[in-house]
Amino acid sequence: VSATNLSYRLVAMAVPPPASHSYGYLMFSFLCLSPILHTATASSSSSSSLSSLSFKLPPMGWMSWELFRCNVNCTGKYHDTCIGHDAFVKQATVLIKDGYFRAGYNRVHVDDCFANRQRDPVSGDIVADPTRFGTGGMRKLATDIAPVELAVYSDCGTMTCMGYPGSINHEVHDAKLFFQKWGATYLKYDGCYNNITGYPSGYAKMGQALRSAGGEKTYYSCSWPAYLGDDETKKPYAQMTAAGCDLWRNYGDIQCDLGSLMDIVDHYGDYSKFLATVSGQGKGYNDPDMLLIGNTCIPDGAARLQMAVWSILAAPLIMGNDLRLVPTPIRDQVLLNEEAIAIDQDPLGIPGYRASNKSDVAELWVRPKLADGGAAVAVVYKGGSSLTRARLERNPSGSAWTTRKIGAVQLGKTKKLTLHVPFGAEIGWSPPSGTASVRDIYARTSLGEHTSGVDVSLTVTEGIPETVLLRLSDAADSRAVSDARK
């Protein structure tokens, strides 16, 4: 077996199967994995870097694009799901009412299609469409959603991807408009209607303008690397840090289906060890795109998988759902799970990675450097080899789209899996005292104390992903915390 292979074998049948299915235990061993260990100190950038070295964690919030897209019809039944003032206020209201804001989801993101087709001929401003945002425009929206913060969108080209005014050659003007006049605290900066040679100067110009206009507490999200192909090792991440990017979209847009999610998980897994070396606190965060959690387009198991993988990667937690329709169980177990959020928002800001080889069956993802000296581990069951893989790609010359699909969905047998998670070199973490306390994050329960590793069990159905997310702590530290609370 290769040093980074994830091997498994079929053993005895476990629990009685449904009449139409048969299944057995699968025992997985994670053998001789070789993770990359990373320094716990955020690296300093050069004096020429525009990126803030202040304390920044992956941003959290809600974004319109995944479901509302470019719907500019705010009449009748579309009033609450269009790119308009009232729809955003309603999402912000739920953000506060249902506990998201308290959990850390503190922004509402207005994506493309909010503006008039032309700038104001006198002021030169980008103007929110007054038929959808009223005469108060974006400033009024920022006021009405407070204390939720406003995130806005523009483009490093002559136009946005959907043909609205871009910000190229207007960087200083627009930065003051977004952050000072409108009161936004976050800019997502897309890359349509520009090109590879124009990105370095274009993103750096806006980065400088944003720092001057908004200071160090604002966020600058760059779509730059998403337009440079699939090979992450060939992308100039040091330049992106120097340009002031706090985070960046690396890859294709996520679509509301299981195949798209799994394609993104595979891509980030394939490059995760490299990406962990170029990202994190003081550098910038990798953004695998919006959370689909709470939508009907993915099953609950895939929701648990996405939250776990995003938390391991130290990725932004920006929801792409209709908050009014999120089922309460998945909201409380996953989106509002304070322990999963704590892993994602760990103050060291050091990303994790996929420790095992890619597999259609099960994988091991680890984040071995947390601020309390512990580690996080996700045991990811991917559903077998029958998943549909789909990807929607954007062309930087505009909004041309290409869809790629592989395979077909075939839901199959139900099985009970027992998976062994070892401590030590395999996951890049060992308990200093020799004994670890293990906690199941989604079940919100302790799995006890263990020395060499821990077995976890889950019941799965072929074709439907599932994940166990664990937090590992040194048992001596856990006992000390428990005693202090008594």
Side-chain angles (χ1 to χ4, degrees), residues 176-249:
K176 292 178 180 178
L177 177 69
F178 302 151
F179 285 179
Q180 295 179 2
K181 291 186 179 180
W182 291 355
T185 61
Y186 182 118
L187 174 67
K188 174 184 172 182
Y189 207 41
D190 218 331
C192 288
Y193 298 101
N194 202 325
N195 54 60
I196 292 174
T197 59
Y199 292 145
S201 61
Y203 277 96
K205 285 179 181 178
M206 181 57 84
Q208 179 66 68
L210 292 175
R211 291 294 178 239
S212 298
E216 302 294 346
K217 294 183 179 180
T218 57
Y219 277 86
Y220 180 29
S221 172
C222 302
S223 296
W224 181 358
Y227 291 91
L228 303 181
D230 292 351
D231 189 344
E232 301 297 344
T233 66
K234 295 180 179 179
K235 299 178 182 181
Y237 285 106
Q239 279 187 274
M240 298 173 203
T241 298
C245 302
D246 296 304
L247 62 152
W248 40 69
R249 282 285 315 285

Coordinates of all heavy atoms in Angstrom, one line a residue, residues 176-249:
K176 N -13.6 54.8 -2.5 CA -14.3 55.8 -1.6 C -15.8 55.7 -1.7 O -16.4 55.8 -0.6 CB -13.8 57.2 -2.0 CG -12.4 57.5 -1.8 CD -12.0 58.9 -2.3 CE -10.5 59.2 -2.0 NZ -10.2 60.6 -2.5
L177 N -16.3 55.4 -2.8 CA -17.8 55.3 -3.0 C -18.2 54.1 -2.1 O -19.2 54.2 -1.3 CB -18.1 55.1 -4.4 CG -19.6 54.8 -4.8 CD1 -20.5 56.0 -4.5 CD2 -19.7 54.3 -6.2
F178 N -17.6 52.9 -2.3 CA -18.0 51.7 -1.6 C -17.9 51.8 -0.1 O -18.8 51.5 0.7 CB -17.2 50.5 -2.1 CG -17.3 50.2 -3.6 CD1 -16.2 49.6 -4.2 CD2 -18.4 50.6 -4.3 CE1 -16.2 49.4 -5.6 CE2 -18.4 50.3 -5.7 CZ -17.3 49.7 -6.3
F179 N -16.7 52.2 0.4 CA -16.4 52.2 1.8 C -16.8 53.4 2.6 O -17.1 53.4 3.8 CB -14.9 51.8 2.0 CG -14.6 50.4 1.7 CD1 -13.3 49.9 1.8 CD2 -15.5 49.4 1.3 CE1 -12.9 48.6 1.6 CE2 -15.2 48.1 1.1 CZ -13.9 47.7 1.2
Q180 N -16.7 54.6 1.9 CA -17.0 55.8 2.7 C -18.4 56.3 2.5 O -19.1 56.7 3.4 CB -15.9 56.9 2.2 CG -14.5 56.5 2.6 CD -13.5 57.6 2.2 OE1 -13.8 58.6 1.6 NE2 -12.2 57.3 2.5
K181 N -18.9 56.3 1.2 CA -20.2 56.8 1.0 C -21.3 55.8 1.3 O -22.3 56.1 1.9 CB -20.3 57.3 -0.5 CG -19.6 58.6 -0.8 CD -19.8 59.1 -2.2 CE -19.1 60.3 -2.6 NZ -19.4 60.8 -3.9
W182 N -21.0 54.6 0.8 CA -22.0 53.5 1.1 C -21.9 52.9 2.4 O -22.9 52.3 2.9 CB -21.9 52.5 0.0 CG -22.3 52.9 -1.4 CD1 -22.8 54.1 -1.8 CD2 -22.2 52.1 -2.6 NE1 -23.1 54.1 -3.1 CE2 -22.7 52.9 -3.7 CE3 -21.7 50.9 -2.9 CZ2 -22.7 52.5 -5.0 CZ3 -21.8 50.4 -4.2 CH2 -22.2 51.2 -5.2
G183 N -20.7 52.9 3.0 CA -20.5 52.2 4.3 C -20.3 50.7 4.2 O -20.5 50.0 5.2
A184 N -19.9 50.2 3.1 CA -19.5 48.8 3.0 C -18.2 48.5 3.7 O -17.4 49.4 3.9 CB -19.4 48.4 1.5
T185 N -18.1 47.2 4.1 CA -16.9 46.8 4.8 C -16.2 45.7 4.0 O -15.2 45.1 4.5 CB -17.2 46.3 6.2 OG1 -18.1 45.2 6.1 CG2 -17.8 47.5 7.0
Y186 N -16.6 45.3 2.8 CA -16.1 44.2 2.1 C -16.4 44.4 0.6 O -17.5 44.8 0.2 CB -16.9 42.9 2.6 CG -16.5 41.6 2.0 CD1 -16.0 40.6 2.9 CD2 -16.7 41.2 0.7 CE1 -15.7 39.3 2.4 CE2 -16.4 40.0 0.2 CZ -15.9 39.0 1.1 OH -15.6 37.8 0.6
L187 N -15.4 44.1 -0.2 CA -15.5 44.2 -1.7 C -15.2 42.8 -2.3 O -14.0 42.3 -2.1 CB -14.7 45.3 -2.3 CG -14.7 45.3 -3.8 CD1 -16.1 45.7 -4.4 CD2 -13.6 46.2 -4.4
K188 N -16.1 42.3 -3.0 CA -15.7 41.1 -3.9 C -15.4 41.7 -5.3 O -16.2 42.4 -5.9 CB -16.9 40.1 -4.0 CG -16.7 39.0 -5.0 CD -17.9 38.1 -5.1 CE -17.8 37.1 -6.3 NZ -19.0 36.3 -6.4
Y189 N -14.2 41.4 -5.8 CA -13.7 42.0 -7.0 C -13.5 40.9 -8.0 O -12.6 40.2 -8.0 CB -12.4 42.8 -6.7 CG -12.1 43.9 -7.6 CD1 -13.1 44.8 -8.1 CD2 -10.8 44.2 -8.1 CE1 -12.8 45.9 -8.9 CE2 -10.5 45.2 -8.9 CZ -11.5 46.1 -9.3 OH -11.2 47.2 -10.1
D190 N -14.4 40.9 -9.0 CA -14.4 39.8 -10.0 C -13.4 40.1 -11.2 O -12.8 41.2 -11.1 CB -15.8 39.7 -10.6 CG -16.2 38.2 -10.9 OD1 -15.3 37.4 -11.2 OD2 -17.4 37.9 -10.8
G191 N -13.3 39.2 -12.1 CA -12.2 39.4 -13.1 C -12.7 39.3 -14.6 O -11.9 39.1 -15.5
C192 N -14.0 39.5 -14.9 CA -14.4 39.5 -16.2 C -14.0 40.8 -17.0 O -13.7 41.8 -16.4 CB -16.0 39.4 -16.3 SG -16.6 37.8 -15.8
Y193 N -13.9 40.7 -18.3 CA -13.6 41.8 -19.2 C -12.2 42.4 -18.8 O -12.1 43.7 -18.9 CB -14.7 42.9 -19.2 CG -16.0 42.3 -19.7 CD1 -17.0 41.9 -18.9 CD2 -16.2 42.1 -21.1 CE1 -18.2 41.3 -19.4 CE2 -17.3 41.5 -21.6 CZ -18.3 41.1 -20.7 OH -19.5 40.6 -21.2
N194 N -11.3 41.6 -18.4 CA -9.9 41.9 -18.3 C -9.1 40.7 -18.8 O -9.7 39.8 -19.4 CB -9.6 42.3 -16.8 CG -8.3 43.1 -16.7 OD1 -7.4 43.0 -17.4 ND2 -8.3 44.0 -15.7
N195 N -7.9 40.6 -18.5 CA -7.1 39.5 -19.0 C -5.9 39.2 -18.0 O -5.7 39.9 -17.1 CB -6.6 39.7 -20.4 CG -5.8 41.0 -20.5 OD1 -4.8 41.2 -19.8 ND2 -6.3 41.9 -21.4
I196 N -5.2 38.1 -18.3 CA -4.2 37.7 -17.4 C -3.1 38.7 -17.2 O -2.6 38.9 -16.1 CB -3.5 36.4 -17.9 CG1 -4.6 35.2 -17.8 CG2 -2.3 36.0 -17.2 CD1 -4.1 33.9 -18.5
T197 N -2.8 39.5 -18.3 CA -1.7 40.5 -18.1 C -2.2 41.7 -17.4 O -1.4 42.4 -16.8 CB -1.2 40.9 -19.5 OG1 -2.3 41.5 -20.3 CG2 -0.6 39.8 -20.3
G198 N -3.5 41.9 -17.3 CA -4.1 43.1 -16.6 C -4.4 42.9 -15.2 O -4.6 43.8 -14.4
Y199 N -4.4 41.6 -14.7 CA -4.8 41.3 -13.3 C -3.8 41.9 -12.3 O -4.2 42.5 -11.3 CB -5.0 39.8 -13.1 CG -6.2 39.3 -13.8 CD1 -6.2 38.0 -14.4 CD2 -7.4 40.0 -14.0 CE1 -7.3 37.5 -15.0 CE2 -8.5 39.5 -14.6 CZ -8.5 38.2 -15.2 OH -9.6 37.7 -15.8
P200 N -2.5 41.7 -12.5 CA -1.6 42.1 -11.4 C -1.7 43.6 -11.1 O -1.8 44.0 -9.9 CB -0.2 41.8 -12.0 CG -0.5 40.6 -12.9 CD -1.8 40.9 -13.5
S201 N -1.7 44.4 -12.1 CA -1.9 45.9 -11.8 C -3.3 46.3 -11.4 O -3.5 47.1 -10.5 CB -1.4 46.7 -13.1 OG -2.3 46.4 -14.2
G202 N -4.3 45.6 -12.0 CA -5.7 46.0 -11.7 C -6.0 45.6 -10.3 O -6.7 46.4 -9.6
Y203 N -5.7 44.4 -9.8 CA -6.0 44.1 -8.4 C -5.2 44.8 -7.4 O -5.7 45.2 -6.3 CB -5.8 42.6 -8.2 CG -7.1 41.8 -8.7 CD1 -7.1 41.2 -10.0 CD2 -8.2 41.6 -7.9 CE1 -8.2 40.5 -10.4 CE2 -9.3 40.9 -8.3 CZ -9.3 40.4 -9.6 OH -10.4 39.7 -10.0
A204 N -3.9 45.2 -7.8 CA -3.1 45.9 -6.8 C -3.6 47.4 -6.7 O -3.6 47.9 -5.6 CB -1.7 45.9 -7.3
K205 N -4.1 48.0 -7.8 CA -4.6 49.3 -7.8 C -5.8 49.4 -6.9 O -6.0 50.3 -6.0 CB -5.0 49.8 -9.2 CG -3.8 50.2 -10.0 CD -4.2 50.6 -11.4 CE -3.1 51.0 -12.3 NZ -3.5 51.3 -13.7
M206 N -6.7 48.4 -7.0 CA -7.9 48.5 -6.1 C -7.5 48.1 -4.7 O -8.1 48.7 -3.8 CB -9.0 47.5 -6.6 CG -10.2 47.5 -5.8 SD -11.1 49.1 -5.7 CE -12.0 49.1 -7.2
G207 N -6.6 47.3 -4.5 CA -6.1 47.0 -3.1 C -5.6 48.2 -2.4 O -5.9 48.5 -1.3
Q208 N -4.8 49.0 -3.1 CA -4.3 50.2 -2.5 C -5.4 51.2 -2.3 O -5.4 51.8 -1.2 CB -3.2 50.8 -3.5 CG -2.6 52.1 -3.0 CD -1.8 51.9 -1.7 OE1 -0.7 51.3 -1.8 NE2 -2.2 52.4 -0.6
A209 N -6.3 51.3 -3.2 CA -7.4 52.3 -3.0 C -8.3 51.9 -1.9 O -8.8 52.7 -1.1 CB -8.2 52.4 -4.3
L210 N -8.5 50.6 -1.7 CA -9.4 50.1 -0.6 C -8.8 50.4 0.7 O -9.4 50.8 1.7 CB -9.7 48.7 -0.8 CG -10.6 48.3 -2.0 CD1 -10.8 46.8 -2.1 CD2 -12.0 48.9 -1.9
R211 N -7.5 50.1 0.9 CA -6.8 50.3 2.1 C -6.8 51.8 2.5 O -7.0 52.2 3.7 CB -5.3 49.8 2.0 CG -5.2 48.3 1.9 CD -5.7 47.6 3.2 NE -5.6 46.1 3.0 CZ -6.6 45.3 3.1 NH1 -7.8 45.8 3.4 NH2 -6.4 44.0 2.9
S212 N -6.7 52.7 1.5 CA -6.7 54.1 1.8 C -8.1 54.6 2.2 O -8.3 55.4 3.0 CB -6.2 54.9 0.5 OG -4.9 54.6 0.2
A213 N -9.1 54.0 1.5 CA -10.5 54.4 1.8 C -11.1 53.7 3.0 O -11.9 54.4 3.7 CB -11.4 54.1 0.5
G214 N -10.8 52.5 3.2 CA -11.5 51.7 4.2 C -10.7 51.3 5.4 O -11.2 50.9 6.4
G215 N -9.4 51.4 5.3 CA -8.5 51.0 6.4 C -8.3 49.5 6.5 O -8.7 48.7 5.6
E216 N -7.8 49.0 7.6 CA -7.4 47.6 7.8 C -8.5 46.7 8.2 O -8.3 45.5 8.2 CB -6.3 47.6 8.8 CG -5.0 48.4 8.5 CD -4.3 47.9 7.2 OE1 -4.6 46.8 6.8 OE2 -3.5 48.7 6.7
K217 N -9.7 47.2 8.6 CA -10.7 46.4 9.1 C -11.7 45.9 8.0 O -12.6 45.1 8.2 CB -11.6 47.1 10.2 CG -10.7 47.4 11.4 CD -11.6 48.1 12.5 CE -10.8 48.3 13.8 NZ -11.6 49.0 14.8
T218 N -11.4 46.3 6.8 CA -12.2 45.9 5.6 C -11.7 44.6 5.0 O -10.5 44.3 5.2 CB -12.3 47.0 4.6 OG1 -11.0 47.4 4.2 CG2 -13.0 48.2 5.2
Y219 N -12.5 44.0 4.2 CA -12.1 42.8 3.5 C -12.1 43.0 2.0 O -13.0 43.6 1.4 CB -13.0 41.6 3.8 CG -12.7 40.9 5.1 CD1 -13.2 41.3 6.3 CD2 -11.9 39.7 5.1 CE1 -12.9 40.7 7.5 CE2 -11.6 39.1 6.3 CZ -12.1 39.6 7.5 OH -11.8 38.9 8.7
Y220 N -11.1 42.4 1.3 CA -10.9 42.5 -0.1 C -10.8 41.1 -0.7 O -9.8 40.4 -0.5 CB -9.6 43.3 -0.4 CG -9.3 43.5 -1.9 CD1 -10.3 43.6 -2.9 CD2 -8.0 43.7 -2.3 CE1 -9.9 43.9 -4.2 CE2 -7.6 43.9 -3.6 CZ -8.6 44.0 -4.6 OH -8.3 44.3 -5.9
S221 N -11.9 40.7 -1.4 CA -11.9 39.4 -2.0 C -11.6 39.4 -3.5 O -12.3 40.1 -4.2 CB -13.3 38.8 -1.8 OG -13.5 37.6 -2.5
C222 N -10.6 38.7 -3.9 CA -10.1 38.8 -5.2 C -10.4 37.5 -6.0 O -10.1 36.4 -5.5 CB -8.6 39.0 -5.3 SG -8.0 40.5 -4.4
S223 N -11.1 37.6 -7.2 CA -11.4 36.5 -8.0 C -10.2 36.1 -9.0 O -10.4 35.2 -9.8 CB -12.7 36.7 -8.8 OG -13.8 36.8 -7.9
W224 N -9.1 36.8 -8.9 CA -8.0 36.7 -9.7 C -7.6 35.3 -10.0 O -7.5 34.8 -11.2 CB -6.9 37.5 -9.1 CG -5.5 37.6 -9.8 CD1 -5.1 37.0 -10.9 CD2 -4.4 38.3 -9.3 NE1 -3.8 37.3 -11.2 CE2 -3.3 38.1 -10.2 CE3 -4.2 39.1 -8.2 CZ2 -2.1 38.7 -10.1 CZ3 -2.9 39.7 -8.0 CH2 -1.9 39.5 -9.0
P225 N -7.3 34.4 -9.0 CA -6.8 33.1 -9.4 C -7.8 32.2 -10.1 O -7.4 31.2 -10.7 CB -6.4 32.5 -8.0 CG -7.1 33.2 -7.0 CD -7.3 34.6 -7.6
A226 N -9.1 32.5 -9.9 CA -10.1 31.7 -10.6 C -10.1 31.8 -12.1 O -10.6 30.9 -12.8 CB -11.5 32.1 -10.1
Y227 N -9.4 32.8 -12.6 CA -9.3 33.0 -14.1 C -7.9 32.5 -14.6 O -7.6 32.8 -15.8 CB -9.5 34.5 -14.4 CG -10.9 35.0 -14.1 CD1 -11.3 35.5 -12.9 CD2 -11.9 34.9 -15.1 CE1 -12.6 35.9 -12.6 CE2 -13.2 35.3 -14.9 CZ -13.5 35.8 -13.6 OH -14.8 36.2 -13.4
L228 N -7.2 31.8 -13.8 CA -5.8 31.4 -14.2 C -5.7 29.9 -14.5 O -4.6 29.4 -14.5 CB -4.8 31.9 -13.2 CG -4.8 33.4 -12.9 CD1 -3.7 33.7 -11.9 CD2 -4.6 34.2 -14.2
G229 N -6.8 29.2 -14.6 CA -6.7 27.8 -14.9 C -6.8 27.0 -13.6 O -7.1 27.5 -12.5
D230 N -6.6 25.7 -13.7 CA -6.8 24.8 -12.6 C -5.6 24.5 -11.8 O -5.7 24.1 -10.6 CB -7.4 23.4 -13.1 CG -8.8 23.6 -13.7 OD1 -9.4 24.6 -13.5 OD2 -9.2 22.6 -14.3
D231 N -4.4 24.7 -12.3 CA -3.2 24.3 -11.6 C -2.8 25.4 -10.6 O -2.3 26.4 -10.9 CB -2.0 24.1 -12.6 CG -0.8 23.5 -12.0 OD1 -0.7 23.5 -10.7 OD2 0.1 23.0 -12.7
E232 N -3.1 25.1 -9.3 CA -2.9 26.1 -8.3 C -1.4 26.4 -8.1 O -1.1 27.5 -7.6 CB -3.5 25.6 -7.0 CG -5.0 25.3 -7.0 CD -5.8 26.5 -7.3 OE1 -5.3 27.6 -7.2 OE2 -7.0 26.3 -7.7
T233 N -0.5 25.4 -8.4 CA 0.9 25.6 -8.1 C 1.5 26.7 -9.1 O 2.6 27.2 -8.8 CB 1.7 24.3 -8.3 OG1 1.6 23.9 -9.6 CG2 1.1 23.3 -7.4
K234 N 0.8 27.0 -10.1 CA 1.3 28.0 -11.1 C 0.7 29.4 -10.9 O 1.0 30.3 -11.7 CB 1.0 27.5 -12.5 CG 1.7 26.2 -12.9 CD 1.4 25.8 -14.3 CE 2.2 24.5 -14.6 NZ 1.8 24.0 -16.0
K235 N 0.0 29.6 -9.9 CA -0.7 30.9 -9.7 C 0.1 31.8 -8.7 O 0.7 31.3 -7.7 CB -2.1 30.7 -9.1 CG -3.0 29.9 -10.1 CD -4.4 29.7 -9.5 CE -5.2 28.8 -10.5 NZ -6.6 28.6 -10.0
P236 N 0.2 33.1 -9.0 CA 1.1 34.0 -8.2 C 0.5 34.4 -6.9 O 0.1 35.6 -6.7 CB 1.3 35.1 -9.2 CG 0.0 35.2 -9.9 CD -0.5 33.8 -10.1
Y237 N 0.4 33.5 -5.9 CA -0.3 33.9 -4.7 C 0.5 34.9 -3.9 O -0.2 35.8 -3.2 CB -0.5 32.6 -3.8 CG -1.7 31.8 -4.4 CD1 -1.4 30.6 -5.1 CD2 -3.0 32.2 -4.3 CE1 -2.5 29.9 -5.6 CE2 -4.0 31.5 -4.8 CZ -3.8 30.3 -5.5 OH -4.8 29.6 -6.0
A238 N 1.8 35.0 -4.0 CA 2.5 36.0 -3.3 C 2.2 37.4 -3.8 O 2.1 38.4 -3.1 CB 4.0 35.8 -3.4
Q239 N 1.9 37.5 -5.1 CA 1.5 38.7 -5.7 C 0.1 39.1 -5.2 O -0.2 40.3 -5.0 CB 1.4 38.6 -7.2 CG 2.8 38.8 -8.0 CD 2.6 38.8 -9.5 OE1 2.5 37.7 -10.1 NE2 2.4 40.0 -10.0
M240 N -0.7 38.2 -5.0 CA -2.1 38.4 -4.5 C -2.1 39.0 -3.1 O -2.8 39.9 -2.7 CB -3.0 37.2 -4.6 CG -3.1 36.7 -6.1 SD -4.0 35.1 -6.1 CE -3.4 34.5 -7.7
T241 N -1.2 38.4 -2.3 CA -1.0 38.9 -0.9 C -0.5 40.3 -1.0 O -1.0 41.2 -0.3 CB 0.0 38.0 -0.1 OG1 -0.6 36.7 0.0 CG2 0.2 38.6 1.3
A242 N 0.5 40.6 -1.8 CA 1.1 41.9 -2.0 C 0.1 42.9 -2.5 O 0.2 44.1 -2.2 CB 2.3 41.8 -2.8
A243 N -0.9 42.4 -3.3 CA -1.9 43.3 -3.9 C -3.0 43.7 -2.9 O -3.8 44.6 -3.2 CB -2.5 42.6 -5.1
G244 N -2.9 43.1 -1.7 CA -3.9 43.5 -0.7 C -5.1 42.5 -0.5 O -6.0 42.8 0.2
C245 N -5.0 41.4 -1.3 CA -6.2 40.5 -1.2 C -6.2 39.8 0.1 O -5.2 39.2 0.6 CB -6.0 39.4 -2.3 SG -6.0 40.1 -4.0
D246 N -7.3 39.8 0.8 CA -7.5 39.1 2.1 C -8.0 37.7 1.9 O -7.8 36.9 2.8 CB -8.5 39.9 3.0 CG -8.0 41.3 3.4 OD1 -6.9 41.4 3.9 OD2 -8.7 42.2 3.1
L247 N -8.6 37.5 0.7 CA -9.0 36.1 0.4 C -9.2 36.1 -1.2 O -9.2 37.2 -1.8 CB -10.4 35.7 1.0 CG -11.6 36.6 0.7 CD1 -12.9 35.7 0.9 CD2 -11.7 37.8 1.7
W248 N -9.3 34.9 -1.7 CA -9.4 34.8 -3.2 C -10.1 33.6 -3.6 O -10.1 32.5 -2.9 CB -8.0 34.7 -3.8 CG -7.0 33.9 -3.0 CD1 -7.0 32.5 -2.8 CD2 -5.9 34.4 -2.3 NE1 -5.9 32.2 -2.0 CE2 -5.2 33.3 -1.7 CE3 -5.3 35.7 -2.0 CZ2 -4.1 33.4 -0.9 CZ3 -4.2 35.8 -1.2 CH2 -3.6 34.7 -0.7
R249 N -10.9 33.7 -4.6 CA -11.6 32.6 -5.3 C -10.6 31.9 -6.2 O -10.1 32.5 -7.1 CB -12.8 33.1 -6.0 CG -14.0 33.4 -5.2 CD -14.7 32.2 -4.7 NE -14.9 31.2 -5.8 CZ -15.8 31.4 -6.8 NH1 -16.6 32.4 -6.8 NH2 -15.8 30.5 -7.7

